[in-house]
Amino acid sequence: MKPATTFILAAVVGGTAFLAARQSDRMQSGTNAGVPRRVAEDSSTPTGGAMDSTRKSRDRMTRNKDSGKIAAFYNGPTAEEARLLTSAERMDLIASGAQIYNSSNQIAFLTGVIGALTADEIPRALESLGGMQDRGNGITQQVWDSLWRQWGRVDPEGGLRRFGPGTSFTNHADARNMMEGWLETDAAAALAWAREPKQSPMQVSAAARAITSATYGDLERMRTDIAALPEEALDTREQCLKEYFDMALLSEEDRTIASICEDLPESLQEMGRREAQRRMAMVSPDEPHDEGSN
């Protein structure tokens, strides 16, 4: 549902004052690493009850006005600071940040908040950011990447199900970023998921990222791990081989597509030849190549 104009204006004003006050406190204390105090620690604020963040922020801004250190609006909270907020406050900041036009300012405002989102909050953040983008205010790729990684940290299997059959998402980098988040928090579970057969190209891309990343650039181990994938996971094998060719070509200046293919184990030779032919056709499109390599 499209929010009323007055709600959007109130969210922006409230978010502005709230974040300016938090940045002012950090700068006045001489450190960028401090965590703002909870409301209960302010003797002028009763413990318990809902926090009136806008009023409190204005009070802080008034107290710090003489210091000349009122922070810029676009310096959003860190993830640590955002975790101290209520869910409603985080969602208000997401809604406010989605309205920022300048990409650098948008990134600075939103990435910390996104890093504190919970599994329940991320679908709502997706709806908020996507809705604003549909209405004409583009969301930068770095903000989307942050959202996918955070989803992978807090609810990877739920997030990856969204990339299943019939998904409207088509950017495979989104699935790979989600997998990066999962690998940060539970690499063993991510790899176990990746070795199972997948149901969509997006899920295949996520699985291939897990399998190839786990080898840390060791080409021999990568060949072994790809060959060990079950027969039912042929799509994942094929995607892993594409990434293997990329890494092998970058590992040594004199590596050729043909020599990379020759290094593959017998079980991967046929698939490797198709990938080699596909790449050679792109490099020399006028030379004949097998139709099966397209």
Side-chain angles (χ1 to χ4, degrees), residues 26-231:
R26 295 215 317 259
M27 296 177 70
Q28 191 175 40
S29 65
T31 175
N32 288 327
V35 176
R37 296 171 297 169
R38 292 180 182 271
V39 178
E41 295 173 354
D42 189 336
S43 59
S44 65
T45 306
T47 59
M51 182 175 72
D52 185 352
S53 59
T54 302
R55 176 178 56 79
K56 186 166 184 266
S57 298
R58 286 172 179 164
D59 289 344
R60 285 186 173 181
M61 290 176 71
T62 300
R63 292 199 304 269
N64 295 319
K65 202 169 186 180
D66 294 337
S67 70
K69 293 181 178 179
I70 297 298
F73 165 50
Y74 296 115
N75 290 333
T78 65
E80 290 76 12
E81 291 169 340
R83 289 189 189 102
L84 298 178
L85 306 178
T86 66
S87 178
E89 287 168 340
R90 283 191 291 271
M91 299 315 299
D92 282 347
L93 292 177
I94 291 290
S96 297
Q99 300 170 59
I100 297 174
Y101 175 78
N102 180 278
S103 59
S104 297
N105 295 336
Q106 187 185 90
I107 291 166
F109 188 97
L110 283 171
T111 51
V113 184
I114 288 173
L117 294 177
T118 67
D120 291 335
E121 292 166 353
I122 286 181
R124 286 185 282 152
L126 174 65
E127 183 178 356
S128 180
L129 295 171
M132 187 58 68
Q133 182 162 274
D134 290 343
R135 292 191 290 275
N137 195 48
I139 305 300
T140 67
Q141 190 58 48
Q142 188 168 332
V143 168
W144 285 122
D145 292 348
S146 297
L147 185 72
W148 304 130
R149 286 194 187 94
Q150 181 64 7
W151 207 329
R153 294 182 190 109
V154 299
D155 183 23
E157 293 192 72
L160 287 165
R161 277 196 294 271
R162 294 214 173 204
F163 295 147
T167 181
S168 60
F169 296 99
T170 58
N171 185 352
H172 287 228
D174 296 344
R176 290 192 287 269
N177 275 302
M178 190 175 288
M179 177 53 69
E180 292 287 351
W182 195 359
L183 290 169
E184 288 177 20
T185 57
D186 193 345
L191 283 168
W193 178 91
R195 293 186 181 108
E196 298 172 354
K198 295 292 157 275
Q199 299 177 319
S200 72
M202 292 281 283
Q203 291 182 348
V204 165
S205 289
R209 173 55 60 91
I211 292 164
T212 55
S213 295
T215 65
Y216 300 101
D218 184 332
L219 294 177
E220 183 176 355
R221 180 182 168 186
M222 195 179 297
R223 291 193 294 268
T224 301
D225 288 356
I226 295 172
L229 288 170
E231 290 293 329

